[in-house]
Amino acid sequence: MKSIMEALEVNYQYPGSAADALNGLTMSIPEGKRTAICGHNGSGKSTFFLHAVGIHRPAAGLLTWKGTPLSYDRKQLQLLRQRVGLVFQDPEQQLILNTPFEDISYGLRNARVPEDEIRVRTLHILDSMGLGQLADTPLHHLSLGQKKRVALAGVLVLRPELLLLDEPTAYLDRSSERQLLEELSRIHESGITVVMATHDMNLAYAWADWVLVMDRGQCVMQGPPEEVFRDEARLQALGLELPLLLELWQALPEAMRNGVAPPRSVEELKRVALQFHYSC
Amino acid sequence: MKSIMEALEVNYQYPGSAADALNGLTMSIPEGKRTAICGHNGSGKSTFFLHAVGIHRPAAGLLTWKGTPLSYDRKQLQLLRQRVGLVFQDPEQQLILNTPFEDISYGLRNARVPEDEIRVRTLHILDSMGLGQLADTPLHHLSLGQKKRVALAGVLVLRPELLLLDEPTAYLDRSSERQLLEELSRIHESGITVVMATHDMNLAYAWADWVLVMDRGQCVMQGPPEEVFRDEARLQALGLELPLLLELWQALPEAMRNGVAPPRSVEELKRVALQFHYSC
Amino acid sequence: MIRLIDTYAYGNKLRSVSPLWKCGFTAAMFVLSYMSHPAVQLLTVGWMCLWTVGHARIPMRIYAGLLGTCFIFYAASLPAVLIEIAPSGTQLPGTTGAAFSFTFAHWTAYIPDSGVHASLLLLCRTAACVSCLSFMMLTTPVSELLQVMKWLRMPSLVIELMLIMYRFLFLLDTAAHDMYTAQMARGGHSGFKSRLADTASLVVRLFTKTMQRYKQLANGLIARGFTDEIHMAPYRAVSVPARYWRESCAGIAALLLVELWLRWRILL
Amino acid sequence: MKAKKGLSTFLLALGFTVYLTVNEPQSAYAMHIMEGFLPVGWAVFWWAVFIPFFVLGLRSLMRITKETPELKLMLGLAGAFTFVLSALKIPSVTGSSSHPTGTGLGAVMFGPLPMSVLGSIVLLFQALLLAHGGLTTLGANAFSMAVAGPMIGYTVYRSMIASTGRQKLSIFLAAALADLSTYVVTSIQLALAFPAASGGIAASFLKFAGIFAITQIPLAISEGLITVLIWNWLQAY
């Protein structure tokens, strides 16, 4: 499996803090997949993301982009930040101009894209993300879900190769969450590698095709979700829980589960149950 | 059923906003129960809470406490706010002083409790909520789950008769959520009426013995959870979802569900499934 | 409260009209208001009201309330403008027949005619100016005013600072308001001492929050390619409906004519 | 004659009503000179006096933001913070609430020159978003609130610290005097523009100071006290 970004033995400490935020982190983000990085708050997920866009520099160890170590000179960093898009947990953190239209064009202007092209690309992304109506509404009139989508659009418009999302569904209600996940599927299908950090195991289980589990600044488990979530004991030792769906599945009679792969969504689960019903 | 607090035809508009936040709200909180108020963001749940502690005054209609209309003179309000404890969604909003110890004593000091007693009561609540270790840790070093517990402790230390919680589990990981819910059960058993506003239907279903559904500033459904969640069509029309557990339950073969009350927790579901397994 | 004007500025019927034109129009009206006679100033008030309430569709209630709050200052300073105090028995200057006088321990307080006259003139001028200002702020959002300032070659640092301030005003205001509510719910702000302490702790919390926001915003913007400047979107010229051009030119011309006629009459 | 008498009585009643309720939170903002109130000469004069300070402040800010561009974000947020502070109700001895100027604290924390820039932008936003103050009078208001207040606060703080070394007392006086001097300067500005018929500018100053500065004394004391509390807390962090 080819990795698009890799961390090798990375150590990092926040200034003024005694504990290591990253503690010999070795972890690889597979190219072209949907990866979920799971772990508690404080396990190092966000710190890794800030390394991935070159905002933090490892105290020891190194990061590579498609096999080449990151360079921290100004030009290269600017380039890296066009290739790697980071969407923060709190959209207020990265929105700066007054309206979605203006804000989305901000990153393009930093990348010295000509004004004509800025306009076209901004209008296009607004449309494709269903934000056309809101283009000129001031940000402080938008709901949280809308702000999150504007933040995402502002990153996507740069056409990154790798998209990093920090707790993308935090604070969202269920319908906004669903809308966002559909968006992410479309983005992934267009060929972008998508990574999300989350502590919501339900989300990771339902969405990812590759799961990395972090704990205390290290990567402690990795693999496809079926595999990672099979190791219930290990997860519990880490203080993480099984996804509700999987827990429910395991509560079902053996006869029903026999020989069937665990379902990834409620719909799948319903289908299995129905089939069983007929076969009975 | 005796009601501890009641809203009668309450209307309220936020200044500078055109829409009604409460629109003829008539709703009763039953005494001694665990009540969940469900509804979207903006359905009026938080506005009702702010009425319940006398921060907002109804433009029309009235609120009653154990049958007596609320009085808005200064003394009475101070008394009301000791009887009714409100825990806000975001602990950052509520925590004011520097350490859990200081912050928890804030409400007592406002209530003019003598200093000796403040000390005793604060230490006691810190201990009983497992926060003893953290008593003198600066608040910004605590995790979100810990902050939420401090906020809860700061309200409980006043020994309210009615405890209102706004989205108590929002942003929490599952283990912190479970810890909080256990705490709430203990509180409820000690004789306090507990009410939570939430848009998490899974939570409402698993926890409450009385459910109120709010929509656009009105109370549109009420009853025990089995009853409220039976009306799937109505809930969907309101844009709310069925609890996952209930959805799954309904997907199960008829033979299994026959004559059994829908389970309220994964454990219950497991038990039913096991029984079915044996009977098979 | 700070959202009220802002919301109308974004939602009014003149929002789509070029901000540059609106500012130019307001500036012209400001000059006219300052230079003209009371009669013309009162006409200006009526005409600007027509623009704000009629064309921009700002509700009359909001508009009147806004003008009302502006005039609190006028009313507050009236006593100082109106009342003259002089030692009793001296020749009272500026008066032929005082409309009101009151003597106490060798001092006389009185309202000279000239005072009444001056305060009425002042009323006309402030009313005209306030109606111009409210037209601009109710029809043009701050973000578009920033574009105009950029067009006027305001140093980019000022615009950047204004941009960030405006962006975070609402956030911090909400945070402060929420904390105040929570303090009230916990029985705070009871008595002078507790109000002092509660206000101080609120300010401190708000300050630490502000500094947290600063660190987060720095990371957020650097990740989006921020290096040294916040590049604003360029000013996009918007056409102004011919109707507004006609109406504004005709109106200004009419006001000027009235003004000239008044001056000519006085000369005679 | 009769109509005139009625009119002046009405004007007077109106004035006194507001004068007596001047401590109400709504009217607290009335402390900024309103749009169109100053004669054109004085409006221009105060702009001319204010602009050099603004330019000086701006140049010092340009220097520091050139070295570290992120500081722009900090200054912008500090400005937003100052705005919210100036809209905050503070308790007063008389029981009612009004707003602090916050310039004393700002001047001690960020220095008086940056405050001249941040403070004047705050005033502009107050004019545009709250309709308090005005554009033609912005020069005068900015001079009293963003230049004179912070300068006096800062000077008081420095000299008190140097002479007595008592931090709390210095902070208290800096904040209280910054607040009070803002309104004294406002009164001077008004007196210059509206000299009294008998007694001239001095008499007029006493009248305006009676309205805008005397009423501010309890609030200035409150602001001083709060600023000391804030300072203690910030030190503890």
Side-chain angles (χ1 to χ4, degrees):
Chain A
M1 208 170 40
K2 230 176 103 185
S3 81
I4 190 165
M5 180 156 271
E6 229 171 329
L8 293 165
E9 294 286 338
V10 172
N11 272 322
Y12 187 78
Q13 259 193 357
Y14 281 98
S17 144
D20 283 323
L22 296 183
N23 180 16
L25 175 72
T26 296
M27 185 161 81
S28 149
I29 307 289
E31 186 162 0
K33 285 203 189 269
R34 296 191 285 201
T35 303
I37 306 183
C38 301
H40 279 298
N41 294 335
S43 58
K45 308 187 296 290
S46 309
T47 311
F48 167 68
F49 278 180
L50 291 175
H51 276 84
V53 293
I55 287 182
H56 290 339
R57 282 177 76 154
L62 68 108
L63 285 107
T64 65
W65 168 257
K66 295 187 175 173
T68 328
L70 293 197
S71 143
Y72 291 89
D73 85 90
R74 213 182 144 112
K75 276 262 172 55
Q76 290 297 312
L77 272 182
Q78 203 70 352
L79 212 63
L80 176 74
R81 286 169 192 161
Q82 283 164 46
R83 285 180 182 147
V84 183
L86 171 53
V87 181
F88 289 84
Q89 172 170 3
D90 181 2
E92 306 290 3
Q93 186 174 350
Q94 68 187 131
L95 301 178
I96 186 67
L97 298 186
N98 280 309
T99 62
F101 181 85
E102 290 177 13
D103 188 80
I104 290 170
S105 65
Y106 172 76
L108 292 171
R109 209 158 281 123
N110 283 336
R112 310 262 186 274
V113 174
E115 279 299 327
D116 296 347
E117 198 187 329
I118 290 184
R119 208 178 141 67
V120 174
R121 276 167 72 172
T122 306
L123 285 175
H124 179 256
I125 200 105
L126 275 167
D127 259 1
S128 74
M129 293 196 59
L131 292 165
Q133 291 283 318
L134 302 171
D136 294 319
T137 315
L139 285 176
H140 55 273
H141 290 181
L142 299 185
S143 74
L144 183 72
Q146 291 167 334
K147 281 182 198 163
K148 285 221 171 197
R149 272 190 295 146
V150 175
L152 178 58
V155 168
L156 281 181
V157 77
L158 287 167
R159 299 184 189 143
E161 297 172 52
L162 171 61
L163 178 66
L164 307 173
L165 302 117
D166 201 353
E167 301 282 358
T169 62
Y171 323 143
L172 288 190
D173 57 39
R174 290 267 286 280
S175 62
S176 310
E177 175 177 327
R178 187 172 301 161
Q179 208 176 9
L180 189 74
L181 290 181
E182 278 165 19
E183 198 58 56
L184 291 183
S185 293
R186 267 203 297 283
I187 292 164
H188 175 249
E189 274 155 30
S190 78
I192 297 174
T193 305
V194 184
V195 180
M196 70 164 69
T198 181
H199 63 239
D200 182 343
M201 305 304 265
N202 294 321
L203 179 66
Y205 179 67
W207 176 84
D209 14 81
W210 191 259
V211 176
L212 300 163
V213 180
M214 283 186 72
D215 187 53
R216 290 177 222 180
Q218 293 182 319
C219 176
V220 289
M221 292 169 87
Q222 62 176 323
E226 314 81 79
E227 218 172 83
V228 168
F229 290 113
R230 200 179 296 143
D231 199 349
E232 199 178 336
R234 181 103 188 263
L235 285 173
Q236 252 161 10
L238 292 169
L240 297 170
E241 312 203 2
L242 273 196
L244 191 59
L245 198 63
L246 208 58
E247 231 177 314
L248 289 176
W249 172 250
Q250 288 176 358
L252 294 184
E254 186 88 31
M256 198 166 145
R257 290 184 289 152
N258 225 349
V260 189
R264 293 282 289 278
S265 67
V266 183
E267 285 67 39
E268 261 180 68
L269 183 67
K270 275 191 188 159
R271 213 171 319 126
V272 176
L274 222 66
Q275 257 165 17
F276 175 71
H277 188 51
Y278 289 129
S279 73
C280 229
Chain B
M1 209 170 42
K2 230 176 102 187
S3 82
I4 190 165
M5 179 155 272
E6 229 171 328
L8 294 165
E9 294 287 338
V10 172
N11 272 323
Y12 187 78
Q13 255 192 1
Y14 282 97
S17 142
D20 283 324
L22 297 183
N23 181 15
L25 175 72
T26 296
M27 186 162 82
S28 149
I29 307 289
E31 186 163 359
K33 286 205 190 267
R34 296 190 286 201
T35 303
I37 306 184
C38 301
H40 279 298
N41 295 334
S43 57
K45 308 188 296 290
S46 309
T47 312
F48 168 68
F49 279 0
L50 291 176
H51 275 86
V53 293
I55 285 184
H56 290 340
R57 282 178 75 154
L62 67 107
L63 284 110
T64 64
W65 167 257
K66 295 186 175 172
T68 328
L70 293 197
S71 144
Y72 292 88
D73 84 88
R74 218 181 145 111
K75 275 258 172 61
Q76 291 297 313
L77 271 183
Q78 202 73 354
L79 211 64
L80 177 75
R81 286 172 191 161
Q82 283 165 44
R83 284 180 182 147
V84 183
L86 171 55
V87 182
F88 289 83
Q89 171 170 4
D90 182 3
E92 297 286 344
Q93 174 181 353
Q94 185 173 349
L95 301 179
I96 296 154
L97 301 179
N98 281 321
T99 63
F101 183 85
E102 287 175 23
D103 190 83
I104 290 170
S105 61
Y106 173 79
L108 292 172
R109 205 158 285 126
N110 285 331
R112 309 269 188 273
V113 174
E115 280 298 328
D116 297 349
E117 200 186 328
I118 290 183
R119 207 179 143 66
V120 174
R121 274 166 75 172
T122 307
L123 285 175
H124 179 255
I125 200 104
L126 276 166
D127 259 1
S128 76
M129 292 195 58
L131 292 165
Q133 292 282 316
L134 303 170
D136 296 317
T137 317
L139 282 172
H140 55 272
H141 288 178
L142 300 186
S143 75
L144 184 70
Q146 290 167 334
K147 281 181 195 163
K148 286 228 172 195
R149 273 190 294 146
V150 174
L152 178 58
V155 168
L156 280 181
V157 77
L158 288 167
R159 297 181 190 147
E161 296 171 52
L162 171 62
L163 178 65
L164 307 174
L165 302 117
D166 202 351
E167 303 281 359
T169 62
Y171 329 141
L172 286 189
D173 55 41
R174 290 264 293 282
S175 61
S176 309
E177 176 177 326
R178 185 172 299 162
Q179 208 175 9
L180 190 74
L181 290 181
E182 279 165 18
E183 198 60 56
L184 291 183
S185 293
R186 266 202 299 282
I187 293 165
H188 175 248
E189 275 156 28
S190 77
I192 297 174
T193 304
V194 184
V195 179
M196 69 164 69
T198 180
H199 61 238
D200 181 346
M201 305 305 263
N202 291 321
L203 179 65
Y205 179 67
W207 176 85
D209 24 65
W210 190 258
V211 175
L212 301 163
V213 180
M214 283 186 72
D215 187 53
R216 289 177 223 182
Q218 293 183 318
C219 176
V220 290
M221 293 170 85
Q222 62 175 325
E226 312 81 78
E227 220 171 84
V228 168
F229 289 113
R230 201 178 297 142
D231 199 348
E232 198 179 336
R234 181 105 188 260
L235 285 173
Q236 251 160 9
L238 292 169
L240 297 169
E241 312 201 3
L242 272 197
L244 194 56
L245 197 62
L246 205 59
E247 232 178 315
L248 179 66
W249 174 251
Q250 288 174 357
L252 293 184
E254 186 90 32
M256 194 168 149
R257 288 186 290 151
N258 223 348
V260 190
R264 292 281 290 277
S265 67
V266 180
E267 283 68 39
E268 262 180 67
L269 179 69
K270 275 192 189 157
R271 213 171 318 124
V272 176
L274 221 66
Q275 260 163 17
F276 176 69
H277 189 52
Y278 288 131
S279 75
C280 228
Chain C
M1 191 56 209
I2 64 169
R3 279 182 177 75
L4 187 70
I5 295 177
D6 187 68
T7 305
Y8 282 106
Y10 280 102
N12 72 87
K13 287 273 185 268
L14 291 181
R15 158 92 199 268
S16 58
V17 176
S18 155
L20 200 56
W21 182 85
K22 282 183 280 194
C23 290
F25 176 54
T26 310
M29 291 309 296
F30 257 125
V31 174
L32 193 64
S33 310
Y34 249 113
M35 300 303 169
S36 59
H37 279 90
V40 179
Q41 286 168 339
L42 289 179
L43 286 176
T44 305
V45 174
W47 194 46
M48 291 317 276
C49 176
L50 191 75
W51 277 93
T52 318
V53 178
H55 293 336
R57 300 240 169 267
I58 304 295
M60 193 63 205
R61 193 171 50 85
I62 302 292
Y63 185 65
L66 196 67
L67 293 190
T69 47
C70 290
F71 279 95
I72 291 174
F73 180 88
Y74 177 82
S77 42
L78 255 188
V81 177
L82 275 178
I83 304 176
E84 294 287 346
I85 299 173
S88 304
T90 51
Q91 168 64 37
L92 305 180
T95 171
T96 41
F100 174 91
S101 82
F102 176 75
T103 308
F104 179 78
H106 311 300
W107 291 88
T108 302
Y110 63 99
I111 299 180
D113 283 352
S114 57
V116 177
H117 186 66
S119 63
L120 286 178
L121 287 184
L122 194 57
L123 182 64
C124 293
R125 186 174 74 213
T126 49
C129 289
V130 163
S131 65
C132 295
L133 176 67
S134 11
F135 167 75
M136 188 178 83
M137 66 191 184
L138 285 168
T139 59
T140 322
V142 168
S143 57
E144 289 174 12
L145 289 177
L146 292 182
Q147 294 279 15
V148 173
M149 290 172 85
K150 194 181 165 200
W151 188 86
L152 289 171
R153 304 289 145 95
M154 181 66 102
S156 72
L157 179 60
V158 179
I159 297 186
E160 282 171 81
L161 289 181
M162 288 187 71
L163 188 79
I164 303 163
M165 274 168 78
Y166 179 63
R167 169 89 184 79
F168 285 93
L169 276 187
F170 301 97
L171 232 60
L172 293 183
D173 181 71
T174 309
H177 186 260
D178 284 351
M179 285 190 280
Y180 179 77
T181 307
Q183 286 180 329
M184 293 290 285
R186 295 180 69 187
H189 292 275
S190 56
F192 181 62
K193 243 179 113 179
S194 110
R195 286 168 69 187
L196 278 185
D198 285 348
T199 310
S201 64
L202 194 153
V203 172
V204 172
R205 276 253 161 266
L206 193 67
F207 182 75
T208 49
K209 258 180 207 237
T210 310
M211 288 301 120
Q212 266 169 20
R213 285 249 164 241
Y214 155 60
K215 285 191 192 114
Q216 291 177 341
L217 184 69
N219 280 345
L221 291 190
I222 290 173
R224 293 184 69 190
F226 170 82
T227 46
D228 49 3
E229 202 176 322
I230 299 174
H231 302 282
M232 287 219 321
Y235 179 75
R236 268 189 295 145
V238 197
S239 68
V240 180
R243 180 185 153 211
Y244 291 143
W245 268 118
R246 275 201 304 272
E247 207 173 316
S248 59
C249 290
I252 290 177
L255 287 174
L256 275 177
L257 277 178
V258 176
E259 176 66 24
L260 287 178
W261 177 68
L262 283 172
R263 287 191 181 210
W264 182 67
R265 246 181 48 146
I266 289 163
L267 273 182
L268 286 183
Chain D
M1 192 63 216
K2 202 157 195 183
K4 223 169 216 177
K5 187 158 189 168
L7 182 66
S8 59
T9 317
F10 169 74
L11 285 176
L12 202 65
L14 182 67
F16 273 115
T17 315
V18 174
Y19 178 75
L20 291 175
T21 55
V22 86
N23 272 335
E24 286 303 303
Q26 254 304 314
S27 59
Y29 292 101
M31 297 303 196
H32 302 328
I33 302 174
M34 78 183 291
E35 186 62 83
F37 199 80
L38 291 179
V40 70
W42 284 109
V44 172
F45 173 80
W46 288 113
W47 269 105
V49 173
F50 158 67
I51 282 176
F53 289 99
F54 185 79
V55 171
L56 274 180
L58 196 60
R59 278 180 46 192
S60 84
L61 290 188
M62 276 173 172
R63 248 196 322 278
I64 56 174
T65 53
K66 188 139 257 169
E67 286 160 25
T68 12
E70 282 109 285
L71 274 182
K72 280 180 201 175
L73 310 177
M74 209 244 274
L75 289 166
L77 275 156
F81 173 72
T82 314
F83 180 96
V84 174
L85 215 63
S86 75
L88 212 63
K89 293 177 194 169
I90 66 161
S92 126
V93 204
T94 50
S96 50
S97 304
S98 182
H99 75 144
T101 58
T103 48
L105 183 64
V108 174
M109 280 166 74
F110 306 110
L113 277 180
M115 272 315 282
S116 73
V117 178
L118 295 184
S120 49
I121 301 180
V122 166
L123 281 167
L124 178 60
F125 277 133
Q126 285 184 345
L128 292 174
L129 292 173
L130 295 165
H132 299 303
L135 296 182
T136 57
T137 52
L138 187 63
N141 286 328
F143 181 77
S144 66
M145 199 163 157
V147 176
M151 291 279 180
I152 288 169
Y154 190 75
T155 316
V156 167
Y157 177 72
R158 286 275 130 172
S159 54
M160 283 295 293
I161 277 287
S163 60
T164 66
R166 292 173 63 188
Q167 183 109 41
K168 281 187 190 174
L169 185 66
S170 315
I171 289 284
F172 172 78
L173 284 177
L177 290 179
D179 180 316
L180 199 59
S181 60
T182 295
Y183 295 105
V184 171
V185 172
T186 302
S187 306
I188 294 174
Q189 290 170 331
L190 291 169
L192 287 171
F194 301 97
S198 59
I201 293 170
S204 180
F205 169 72
L206 288 178
K207 288 189 289 179
F208 279 110
I211 294 171
F212 293 110
I214 305 288
T215 51
Q216 193 67 20
I217 289 176
L219 292 174
I221 293 172
S222 296
E223 179 162 353
L225 291 174
I226 287 176
T227 310
V228 171
L229 290 175
I230 293 171
W231 193 258
N232 286 347
W233 252 309
L234 287 179
Q235 297 301 73
Y237 262 86

